[in-house]
Amino acid sequence: MAAFESLREHWLGVGTELIVRATRSICDGSVLNADHGRAATSARIEEWSSVLPLYQTDNSSETVRFSA
């Protein structure tokens, strides 16, 4: 019985290690995707920030509406 418990604990440790390694890879991929998304968003904000002044009017009380 002790041998079975020892074997079971060993395999639980191995299984846990595999889960940790797999999860770490998933998390690293998620961080990479998030970093890429932030960089893309930042680039779009910079692009629109340079264009926005072209559309500003002297009358700031006007409401501008648009739709896609």
Side-chain angles (χ1 to χ4, degrees):
M1 188 69 166
F4 176 74
E5 287 296 320
S6 176
L7 184 61
R8 189 181 79 132
E9 288 176 10
H10 171 74
W11 283 109
L12 284 176
V14 170
T16 302
E17 180 64 25
L18 290 174
I19 290 170
V20 168
R21 287 183 185 189
T23 305
R24 186 179 302 134
S25 296
I26 292 168
C27 292
D28 289 345
S30 296
V31 170
L32 185 63
N33 286 338
D35 289 343
H36 177 71
R38 279 191 290 275
T41 301
S42 178
R44 294 299 134 343
I45 290 172
E46 288 179 21
E47 288 174 359
W48 280 106
S49 295
S50 65
V51 172
L52 186 61
L54 300 173
Y55 294 98
Q56 291 179 342
T57 63
D58 292 335
N59 189 358
S60 60
S61 65
E62 290 182 17
T63 302
V64 178
R65 293 182 183 202
F66 61 92
S67 63

Coordinates of all heavy atoms in Angstrom, one line a residue:
M1 N 0.8 -1.2 0.0 CA 0.0 0.0 0.0 C 0.9 1.3 0.0 O 0.5 2.2 -0.7 CB -0.9 0.0 1.2 CG -1.9 1.0 1.2 SD -3.1 0.8 -0.1 CE -4.4 1.9 0.4
A2 N 2.0 1.2 0.7 CA 2.9 2.4 0.8 C 3.5 2.6 -0.6 O 3.7 3.8 -1.0 CB 3.9 2.2 1.8
A3 N 3.8 1.6 -1.3 CA 4.3 1.7 -2.7 C 3.3 2.4 -3.6 O 3.7 3.3 -4.4 CB 4.8 0.4 -3.2
F4 N 2.1 2.0 -3.4 CA 1.0 2.6 -4.3 C 0.9 4.1 -3.9 O 0.8 4.9 -4.9 CB -0.3 1.9 -4.0 CG -1.5 2.5 -4.8 CD1 -1.6 2.4 -6.1 CD2 -2.4 3.3 -4.1 CE1 -2.6 3.0 -6.8 CE2 -3.4 3.9 -4.8 CZ -3.6 3.7 -6.1
E5 N 0.9 4.5 -2.7 CA 0.8 5.9 -2.3 C 2.0 6.7 -2.8 O 1.8 7.8 -3.3 CB 0.7 6.0 -0.8 CG -0.6 5.6 -0.2 CD -1.8 6.5 -0.7 OE1 -1.6 7.7 -0.8 OE2 -2.9 5.9 -1.0
S6 N 3.1 6.1 -2.7 CA 4.3 6.8 -3.2 C 4.2 7.0 -4.7 O 4.6 8.1 -5.2 CB 5.6 5.9 -2.9 OG 6.7 6.5 -3.5
L7 N 3.8 6.0 -5.5 CA 3.6 6.1 -6.9 C 2.6 7.1 -7.3 O 2.7 7.9 -8.2 CB 3.2 4.7 -7.5 CG 3.1 4.6 -9.0 CD1 4.5 4.9 -9.6 CD2 2.7 3.2 -9.4
R8 N 1.5 7.1 -6.5 CA 0.4 8.0 -6.8 C 0.9 9.5 -6.5 O 0.6 10.4 -7.3 CB -0.8 7.7 -5.9 CG -2.0 8.6 -6.2 CD -3.1 8.2 -5.2 NE -2.8 9.0 -4.0 CZ -3.7 9.7 -3.3 NH1 -5.0 9.7 -3.7 NH2 -3.4 10.3 -2.3
E9 N 1.6 9.7 -5.5 CA 2.1 11.0 -5.2 C 3.1 11.5 -6.3 O 3.1 12.7 -6.7 CB 2.8 11.1 -3.8 CG 1.8 11.0 -2.7 CD 2.5 10.9 -1.3 OE1 3.8 11.1 -1.3 OE2 1.8 10.6 -0.3
H10 N 3.9 10.6 -6.8 CA 4.8 10.9 -7.8 C 4.1 11.3 -9.1 O 4.4 12.4 -9.7 CB 5.7 9.7 -8.2 CG 6.6 9.9 -9.4 ND1 7.7 10.7 -9.4 CD2 6.5 9.4 -10.6 CE1 8.2 10.7 -10.6 NE2 7.5 9.9 -11.4
W11 N 3.1 10.6 -9.5 CA 2.3 10.9 -10.7 C 1.5 12.2 -10.5 O 1.3 12.9 -11.5 CB 1.4 9.8 -11.1 CG 2.3 8.7 -11.8 CD1 2.6 7.5 -11.4 CD2 2.9 8.8 -13.1 NE1 3.4 6.8 -12.2 CE2 3.6 7.7 -13.3 CE3 3.0 9.9 -14.0 CZ2 4.4 7.4 -14.4 CZ3 3.8 9.6 -15.2 CH2 4.5 8.5 -15.4
L12 N 1.0 12.4 -9.3 CA 0.3 13.7 -9.0 C 1.2 14.9 -9.2 O 0.9 15.9 -9.8 CB -0.3 13.7 -7.7 CG -1.6 12.9 -7.5 CD1 -2.0 12.9 -6.0 CD2 -2.7 13.4 -8.3
G13 N 2.5 14.7 -8.7 CA 3.5 15.7 -8.9 C 3.8 16.0 -10.4 O 3.9 17.1 -10.8
V14 N 3.9 14.9 -11.1 CA 4.2 15.0 -12.6 C 3.1 15.7 -13.3 O 3.3 16.6 -14.1 CB 4.5 13.6 -13.2 CG1 4.6 13.7 -14.7 CG2 5.8 13.1 -12.6
G15 N 1.9 15.3 -12.9 CA 0.7 15.9 -13.6 C 0.6 17.3 -13.2 O 0.3 18.2 -14.1
T16 N 0.8 17.7 -12.0 CA 0.8 19.1 -11.6 C 1.9 19.9 -12.3 O 1.6 21.0 -12.8 CB 1.1 19.2 -10.1 OG1 0.1 18.4 -9.4 CG2 1.0 20.6 -9.6
E17 N 3.0 19.3 -12.5 CA 4.1 20.0 -13.2 C 3.7 20.2 -14.7 O 4.0 21.3 -15.2 CB 5.4 19.2 -13.2 CG 6.6 19.8 -13.9 CD 7.0 21.2 -13.3 OE1 6.8 21.4 -12.1 OE2 7.6 22.0 -14.1
L18 N 3.1 19.2 -15.3 CA 2.6 19.4 -16.7 C 1.6 20.5 -16.8 O 1.6 21.3 -17.8 CB 2.1 18.1 -17.2 CG 3.1 17.0 -17.4 CD1 2.4 15.7 -17.8 CD2 4.1 17.4 -18.5
I19 N 0.7 20.5 -15.9 CA -0.4 21.6 -15.9 C 0.3 22.9 -15.7 O -0.1 23.9 -16.4 CB -1.4 21.3 -14.8 CG1 -2.2 20.1 -15.2 CG2 -2.3 22.5 -14.6 CD1 -3.2 19.6 -14.1
V20 N 1.2 23.0 -14.8 CA 1.9 24.3 -14.6 C 2.6 24.8 -15.8 O 2.5 25.9 -16.3 CB 2.9 24.2 -13.4 CG1 3.8 25.4 -13.3 CG2 2.1 24.1 -12.1
R21 N 3.3 23.9 -16.5 CA 4.1 24.2 -17.7 C 3.1 24.6 -18.8 O 3.4 25.6 -19.5 CB 4.9 23.1 -18.2 CG 6.1 22.8 -17.3 CD 7.0 21.7 -17.8 NE 8.1 21.5 -16.9 CZ 9.1 20.7 -17.2 NH1 9.1 20.0 -18.3 NH2 10.0 20.5 -16.3
A22 N 2.0 23.9 -19.0 CA 1.1 24.2 -20.1 C 0.4 25.6 -19.8 O 0.2 26.4 -20.7 CB 0.0 23.1 -20.1
T23 N 0.1 25.8 -18.5 CA -0.6 27.1 -18.2 C 0.4 28.2 -18.4 O 0.0 29.3 -18.8 CB -1.1 27.0 -16.7 OG1 -1.9 25.9 -16.6 CG2 -1.8 28.2 -16.3
R24 N 1.6 28.0 -18.0 CA 2.6 29.1 -18.2 C 2.7 29.5 -19.7 O 2.8 30.6 -20.0 CB 4.0 28.6 -17.7 CG 5.0 29.7 -17.7 CD 6.4 29.2 -17.1 NE 6.2 28.7 -15.8 CZ 6.8 27.6 -15.3 NH1 7.5 26.8 -16.2 NH2 6.6 27.2 -14.1
S25 N 2.7 28.5 -20.6 CA 2.8 28.8 -22.0 C 1.5 29.6 -22.4 O 1.6 30.5 -23.2 CB 2.9 27.5 -22.8 OG 4.1 26.9 -22.5
I26 N 0.4 29.2 -22.0 CA -0.8 29.9 -22.3 C -0.8 31.3 -21.8 O -1.1 32.3 -22.5 CB -2.1 29.2 -21.7 CG1 -2.3 27.8 -22.5 CG2 -3.3 30.0 -21.8 CD1 -3.3 26.9 -21.8
C27 N -0.3 31.5 -20.6 CA -0.2 32.8 -20.0 C 0.8 33.7 -20.7 O 0.5 34.9 -21.0 CB 0.2 32.7 -18.5 SG -1.1 32.0 -17.5
D28 N 1.9 33.1 -21.1 CA 2.9 33.9 -21.9 C 2.3 34.3 -23.2 O 2.5 35.5 -23.6 CB 4.2 33.0 -22.1 CG 5.0 32.8 -20.9 OD1 4.7 33.5 -19.9 OD2 5.8 31.9 -20.9
G29 N 1.6 33.5 -23.9 CA 0.9 33.8 -25.1 C -0.1 34.9 -24.9 O -0.2 35.8 -25.7
S30 N -0.9 34.9 -23.8 CA -1.8 35.9 -23.5 C -1.2 37.2 -23.3 O -1.7 38.3 -23.7 CB -2.7 35.5 -22.3 OG -3.4 34.3 -22.6
V31 N -0.1 37.2 -22.6 CA 0.7 38.5 -22.3 C 1.2 39.1 -23.6 O 1.1 40.3 -23.9 CB 1.8 38.2 -21.3 CG1 2.7 39.5 -21.2 CG2 1.2 37.9 -19.9
L32 N 1.7 38.2 -24.5 CA 2.2 38.6 -25.8 C 1.1 39.2 -26.6 O 1.2 40.3 -27.2 CB 2.9 37.5 -26.5 CG 3.5 37.8 -27.8 CD1 4.7 38.8 -27.6 CD2 4.0 36.5 -28.5
N33 N -0.1 38.6 -26.6 CA -1.2 39.1 -27.4 C -1.7 40.4 -26.8 O -2.0 41.4 -27.5 CB -2.4 38.1 -27.4 CG -2.1 36.9 -28.3 OD1 -1.3 37.0 -29.2 ND2 -2.8 35.8 -28.0
A34 N -1.7 40.6 -25.5 CA -2.1 41.8 -24.9 C -1.2 42.9 -25.2 O -1.6 44.1 -25.5 CB -2.2 41.6 -23.3
D35 N 0.1 42.6 -25.1 CA 1.1 43.7 -25.5 C 1.0 44.1 -26.9 O 1.1 45.3 -27.2 CB 2.6 43.1 -25.3 CG 2.9 43.0 -23.8 OD1 2.2 43.6 -23.0 OD2 3.9 42.2 -23.5
H36 N 0.7 43.2 -27.8 CA 0.5 43.5 -29.2 C -0.7 44.4 -29.4 O -0.7 45.4 -30.1 CB 0.4 42.2 -30.1 CG 0.1 42.5 -31.5 ND1 1.0 43.0 -32.4 CD2 -1.0 42.3 -32.2 CE1 0.5 43.2 -33.6 NE2 -0.8 42.8 -33.5
G37 N -1.8 44.0 -28.7 CA -3.0 44.8 -28.8 C -2.8 46.2 -28.2 O -3.4 47.2 -28.8
R38 N -2.1 46.4 -27.1 CA -1.8 47.7 -26.6 C -1.0 48.5 -27.6 O -1.3 49.7 -27.7 CB -1.1 47.6 -25.2 CG -2.1 47.3 -24.1 CD -1.4 47.5 -22.7 NE -0.4 46.4 -22.5 CZ -0.7 45.2 -22.0 NH1 -1.9 45.0 -21.7 NH2 0.3 44.4 -21.8
A39 N 0.0 47.9 -28.2 CA 0.8 48.6 -29.2 C 0.0 49.1 -30.4 O 0.1 50.2 -30.8 CB 2.0 47.8 -29.6
A40 N -0.9 48.2 -30.8 CA -1.8 48.6 -32.0 C -2.7 49.7 -31.6 O -2.9 50.6 -32.4 CB -2.5 47.3 -32.5
T41 N -3.3 49.6 -30.4 CA -4.2 50.6 -30.0 C -3.5 52.0 -29.8 O -4.0 53.0 -30.2 CB -4.9 50.2 -28.7 OG1 -5.6 49.0 -28.8 CG2 -5.9 51.3 -28.2
S42 N -2.4 51.9 -29.3 CA -1.6 53.1 -29.1 C -1.2 53.8 -30.4 O -1.3 55.0 -30.6 CB -0.3 52.8 -28.3 OG 0.5 54.0 -28.2
A43 N -0.9 53.0 -31.4 CA -0.6 53.5 -32.7 C -1.8 54.1 -33.3 O -1.7 55.2 -34.0 CB -0.1 52.4 -33.6
R44 N -3.0 53.5 -33.2 CA -4.2 54.1 -33.8 C -4.6 55.4 -33.1 O -5.0 56.4 -33.7 CB -5.4 53.1 -33.6 CG -5.3 51.9 -34.4 CD -5.2 52.1 -35.9 NE -4.3 51.5 -36.7 CZ -3.2 50.8 -36.5 NH1 -2.7 50.6 -35.4 NH2 -2.5 50.3 -37.5
I45 N -4.4 55.5 -31.8 CA -4.7 56.7 -31.0 C -3.7 57.8 -31.5 O -4.2 59.0 -31.7 CB -4.5 56.5 -29.5 CG1 -5.7 55.6 -29.0 CG2 -4.5 57.8 -28.7 CD1 -5.5 55.2 -27.6
E46 N -2.5 57.5 -31.7 CA -1.5 58.5 -32.2 C -1.9 59.0 -33.6 O -1.9 60.2 -33.9 CB -0.1 58.0 -32.2 CG 0.5 57.8 -30.8 CD 1.9 57.2 -30.9 OE1 2.5 57.3 -31.9 OE2 2.3 56.7 -29.8
E47 N -2.4 58.1 -34.4 CA -2.8 58.5 -35.8 C -4.0 59.4 -35.7 O -4.0 60.4 -36.4 CB -3.2 57.2 -36.6 CG -2.0 56.4 -37.0 CD -2.4 55.1 -37.7 OE1 -3.6 54.8 -37.9 OE2 -1.5 54.3 -38.1
W48 N -5.0 59.0 -35.0 CA -6.2 59.9 -34.9 C -5.9 61.2 -34.2 O -6.5 62.2 -34.5 CB -7.3 59.1 -34.2 CG -8.0 58.2 -35.2 CD1 -7.9 56.8 -35.2 CD2 -8.8 58.5 -36.2 NE1 -8.6 56.3 -36.2 CE2 -9.2 57.4 -36.9 CE3 -9.3 59.8 -36.7 CZ2 -10.0 57.4 -38.0 CZ3 -10.2 59.7 -37.8 CH2 -10.5 58.6 -38.5
S49 N -5.0 61.2 -33.2 CA -4.7 62.4 -32.5 C -4.1 63.5 -33.5 O -4.3 64.7 -33.3 CB -3.7 62.2 -31.4 OG -4.3 61.4 -30.4
S50 N -3.4 63.0 -34.5 CA -2.8 63.9 -35.4 C -3.8 64.4 -36.5 O -3.7 65.5 -37.0 CB -1.6 63.3 -36.2 OG -2.0 62.2 -36.9
V51 N -4.9 63.6 -36.7 CA -5.9 64.0 -37.7 C -7.0 64.8 -37.0 O -7.6 65.7 -37.7 CB -6.5 62.7 -38.3 CG1 -7.7 63.0 -39.2 CG2 -5.4 62.0 -39.1
L52 N -7.3 64.6 -35.8 CA -8.4 65.2 -35.1 C -8.4 66.7 -35.2 O -9.5 67.3 -35.4 CB -8.5 64.8 -33.6 CG -9.7 65.2 -32.8 CD1 -11.0 64.7 -33.4 CD2 -9.5 64.8 -31.4
P53 N -7.3 67.4 -35.0 CA -7.4 68.9 -35.1 C -7.9 69.4 -36.5 O -8.4 70.5 -36.6 CB -5.9 69.3 -34.9 CG -5.3 68.2 -34.1 CD -6.0 67.0 -34.6
L54 N -7.8 68.6 -37.5 CA -8.3 69.0 -38.8 C -9.8 69.1 -38.9 O -10.4 69.8 -39.7 CB -7.8 68.0 -39.9 CG -6.3 67.8 -40.1 CD1 -6.1 66.7 -41.1 CD2 -5.7 69.1 -40.6
Y55 N -10.5 68.4 -38.0 CA -11.9 68.4 -37.9 C -12.6 69.3 -36.9 O -13.8 69.4 -36.8 CB -12.4 67.0 -37.7 CG -12.1 66.1 -38.9 CD1 -11.0 65.3 -38.9 CD2 -12.9 66.1 -40.0 CE1 -10.7 64.5 -40.0 CE2 -12.6 65.3 -41.1 CZ -11.5 64.5 -41.1 OH -11.2 63.7 -42.1
Q56 N -11.7 70.0 -36.1 CA -12.3 70.8 -35.0 C -12.8 72.1 -35.7 O -12.2 72.7 -36.6 CB -11.2 71.1 -34.0 CG -10.9 69.9 -33.2 CD -9.8 70.2 -32.1 OE1 -9.1 71.2 -32.2 NE2 -9.7 69.3 -31.1
T57 N -13.9 72.6 -35.1 CA -14.5 73.9 -35.6 C -14.3 75.0 -34.6 O -14.0 74.7 -33.4 CB -16.0 73.7 -35.9 OG1 -16.6 73.3 -34.7 CG2 -16.2 72.5 -37.0
D58 N -14.6 76.2 -35.0 CA -14.5 77.3 -34.1 C -15.7 77.3 -33.1 O -15.6 77.8 -32.0 CB -14.6 78.6 -34.9 CG -13.3 78.9 -35.7 OD1 -12.3 78.3 -35.3 OD2 -13.4 79.6 -36.7
N59 N -16.8 76.8 -33.5 CA -18.0 76.7 -32.6 C -18.0 75.4 -31.9 O -18.5 74.4 -32.4 CB -19.3 76.9 -33.5 CG -20.5 77.0 -32.6 OD1 -20.4 77.0 -31.4 ND2 -21.7 77.2 -33.2
S60 N -17.5 75.4 -30.7 CA -17.4 74.1 -29.9 C -18.7 73.6 -29.4 O -18.8 72.5 -28.8 CB -16.4 74.3 -28.8 OG -16.8 75.3 -27.9
S61 N -19.8 74.4 -29.5 CA -21.1 74.0 -28.9 C -21.8 73.1 -29.9 O -22.8 72.5 -29.5 CB -21.9 75.2 -28.6 OG -22.2 75.9 -29.8
E62 N -21.4 73.0 -31.1 CA -22.0 72.2 -32.1 C -21.8 70.7 -31.8 O -20.8 70.3 -31.3 CB -21.5 72.4 -33.5 CG -21.9 73.7 -34.1 CD -21.4 73.9 -35.5 OE1 -21.0 72.9 -36.1 OE2 -21.4 75.0 -36.0
T63 N -22.8 69.9 -32.0 CA -22.7 68.5 -31.8 C -22.5 67.8 -33.1 O -23.2 68.1 -34.1 CB -24.0 67.9 -31.1 OG1 -24.3 68.6 -29.9 CG2 -23.9 66.4 -30.9
V64 N -21.5 67.0 -33.2 CA -21.1 66.3 -34.4 C -21.6 64.9 -34.3 O -21.3 64.2 -33.3 CB -19.6 66.4 -34.7 CG1 -19.3 65.6 -35.9 CG2 -19.1 67.8 -34.7
R65 N -22.4 64.4 -35.2 CA -22.9 63.1 -35.2 C -22.4 62.3 -36.4 O -22.3 62.9 -37.5 CB -24.4 63.0 -35.2 CG -25.0 63.6 -34.0 CD -26.5 63.5 -34.0 NE -27.0 64.1 -32.8 CZ -28.2 63.8 -32.3 NH1 -29.0 63.0 -32.9 NH2 -28.6 64.4 -31.2
F66 N -22.1 61.1 -36.3 CA -21.6 60.3 -37.4 C -22.1 58.8 -37.1 O -22.4 58.5 -36.0 CB -20.1 60.3 -37.6 CG -19.3 59.9 -36.4 CD1 -18.9 58.6 -36.3 CD2 -19.0 60.8 -35.4 CE1 -18.2 58.1 -35.2 CE2 -18.3 60.3 -34.3 CZ -17.9 59.0 -34.2
S67 N -22.1 58.1 -38.1 CA -22.5 56.6 -38.0 C -21.7 55.8 -39.0 O -21.2 56.4 -40.0 CB -24.0 56.4 -38.2 OG -24.3 56.8 -39.5
A68 N -21.5 54.6 -38.7 CA -20.8 53.7 -39.6 C -21.7 53.0 -40.6 O -22.9 52.9 -40.4 CB -20.0 52.6 -38.8

